[in-house]
């Protein structure tokens, strides 16, 4: 599963781990991605979305219909 949120578009960030001796090694900061299944009443079916935990809270606030509309506006397939 790619570490990419369908709603917010958040992707991994990259940086360095810095040890006690100040040596730097590259690392990756992944968003907290979850796969969640929602009932879409307008289409009478379930949709499975790959969302970050922040986007799950956004869906709880704005509703699944508005969230799917935003995903489709970004060019995503649902």
């Amino acid at each position: 599963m790619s570490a990419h949120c369908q709603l917010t578009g958040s992707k991994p960030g990259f940086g360095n781990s810095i040890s006690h001796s100040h040596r730097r090694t590259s690392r990756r900061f992944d968003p907290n991605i979850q796969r969640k299944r929602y009932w879409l009443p307008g289409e009478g079916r379930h949709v499975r979305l790959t969302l970050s935990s922040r986007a799950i809270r956004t869906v709880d606030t704005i509703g699944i219909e508005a969230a799917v509309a935003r995903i489709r506006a970004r060019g995503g397939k649902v």
Side-chain angles (χ1 to χ4, degrees):
M1 172 173 30
S2 82
H4 182 266
C5 177
Q6 287 181 295
L7 182 60
T8 61
S10 64
K11 294 182 275 194
F14 295 89
N16 290 312
S17 290
I18 302 179
S19 69
H20 178 69
S21 63
H22 218 66
R23 288 180 60 107
R24 293 161 191 243
T25 55
S26 62
R27 61 160 295 179
R28 183 172 142 151
F29 297 89
D30 285 330
N32 186 4
I33 298 294
Q34 311 291 325
R35 281 182 57 84
K36 192 147 169 61
R37 187 172 173 243
Y38 289 99
W39 172 251
L40 197 57
E43 298 181 15
R45 66 184 182 106
H46 285 95
V47 291
R48 190 176 298 274
L49 300 175
T50 305
L51 301 171
S52 62
S53 56
R54 180 185 191 119
I56 291 172
R57 291 196 305 269
T58 302
V59 170
D60 291 343
T61 303
I62 67 172
I64 186 62
E65 296 283 346
V68 167
R70 282 190 193 179
I71 292 169
R72 288 181 175 150
R74 292 183 72 239
K77 186 178 175 193
V78 177

